[in-house]
Amino acid sequence: DVKVTQSSRYLVKRTGEKVFLECVQDMDHENMFWYRQDPGLGLRLIYFSYDVKMKEKGDIPEGYSVSREKKERFSLILESASTNQTSMYLCASSPQGLTRGYTFGSGTRLTVV
Amino acid sequence: AQSVTQPDIHITVSEGASLELRCNYSYGATPYLFWYVQSPGQGLQLLLKYFSGDTLVQGIKGFEAEFKRSQSSFNLRKPSVHWSDAAEYFCAVGGDSWGKLQFGAGTQVVVTP
């Protein structure tokens, strides 16, 4: 089975800090995604990547950036954390196309104080 | 643009009773449709998916879903729920060349004894 590992389950950071959320997948998937999950809003796409060093903005990219230097690793960066970025962050990966859907990590619950 | 509506935010069902979760989508072409389940504190797990062919699809944990093109719906059903089915359920639609999924806001299912 594909495994998607997010480095932290819980994080508490201060306003203005630079925050790195790491995601690693072990099945050579081309596509990787970062979503944030908020009650009543479902999952909203922040950024995705379809290849090493390639990235595309999702629906809510403001305040975030990403890095994909290796195929298996996709990092989400909060340049200057703010309280409205307190959320659950979910990483997912998939092969090209949608026939197999996504495999998700367990999520990182980030609190910005 | 693609979109997904899950009309029911919260459903309470008795153990052993049947369950139906509604999902309506908007998509310009033939969609790829998914149902995911999220247990408390966990990532999302794929229940089932539909691309083409038989409009009634079977998934894991005894769930099934029916694609109705005329109604733009993909409702999830289970004949007899178990206490372990208490979770949040997300419907998702996709199909563009990037392999992006649009998720609904989710339906929280509570199972009572």
Side-chain angles (χ1 to χ4, degrees):
Chain A
D1 282 350
V2 177
K3 189 172 181 180
V4 178
T5 303
Q6 295 184 231
S7 53
S8 304
R9 289 298 305 273
Y10 300 94
L11 276 178
V12 180
K13 297 292 182 180
R14 295 192 181 278
T15 301
E17 276 193 80
K18 189 169 187 176
V19 181
F20 293 85
L21 303 183
E22 305 288 345
C23 176
V24 177
Q25 52 96 2
D26 65 359
M27 280 297 288
D28 204 37
H29 281 174
E30 288 80 10
N31 295 345
M32 296 188 75
F33 306 85
W34 276 106
Y35 285 85
R36 66 175 281 176
Q37 180 182 9
D38 300 287
L41 297 177
L43 280 70
R44 292 179 291 166
L45 182 63
I46 304 171
Y47 268 97
F48 67 100
S49 170
Y50 54 91
D51 202 350
V52 176
K53 297 189 185 295
M54 305 302 288
K55 60 185 179 184
E56 294 288 337
K57 293 180 180 179
D59 299 320
I60 52 164
E62 296 78 18
Y64 303 94
S65 62
V66 291
S67 172
R68 195 170 180 196
E69 296 296 318
K70 295 185 177 181
K71 191 173 186 179
E72 67 271 17
R73 185 179 297 270
F74 192 37
S75 303
L76 179 70
I77 304 156
L78 286 66
E79 298 290 342
S80 177
S82 64
T83 55
N84 63 13
Q85 293 178 309
T86 291
S87 186
M88 170 71 92
Y89 290 87
L90 292 167
C91 176
S93 74
S94 74
Q96 280 186 345
L98 279 172
T99 55
R100 282 155 61 180
Y102 293 179
T103 300
F104 281 88
S106 296
T108 296
R109 184 164 295 281
L110 173 68
T111 302
V112 182
V113 297
Chain B
Q2 59 200 41
S3 67
V4 181
T5 301
Q6 293 181 246
D8 304 304
I9 297 171
H10 189 275
I11 285 180
T12 299
V13 59
S14 299
E15 191 168 14
S18 64
L19 175 68
E20 181 167 12
L21 304 183
R22 295 182 291 163
C23 173
N24 295 100
Y25 67 90
S26 174
Y27 193 73
T30 301
Y32 289 62
L33 293 159
F34 301 82
W35 275 100
Y36 283 86
V37 60
Q38 185 180 35
S39 298
Q42 300 298 314
L44 277 68
Q45 181 184 20
L46 180 63
L47 280 177
L48 47 77
K49 57 193 175 186
Y50 173 79
F51 310 129
S52 63
D54 192 346
T55 56
L56 185 63
V57 294
Q58 303 296 321
I60 63 171
K61 302 177 187 274
F63 284 91
E64 66 178 25
E66 186 171 12
F67 172 61
K68 292 186 177 180
R69 184 186 299 276
S70 62
Q71 298 176 20
S72 298
S73 69
F74 188 57
N75 294 349
L76 181 71
R77 298 192 292 254
K78 185 168 184 177
S80 177
V81 299
H82 186 261
W83 63 266
S84 60
D85 293 322
E88 191 159 21
Y89 293 79
F90 292 91
C91 181
V93 64
D96 68 13
S97 59
W98 299 114
K100 292 183 298 181
L101 286 180
Q102 185 79 30
F103 285 82
T107 298
Q108 185 71 47
V109 173
V110 173
V111 180
T112 59

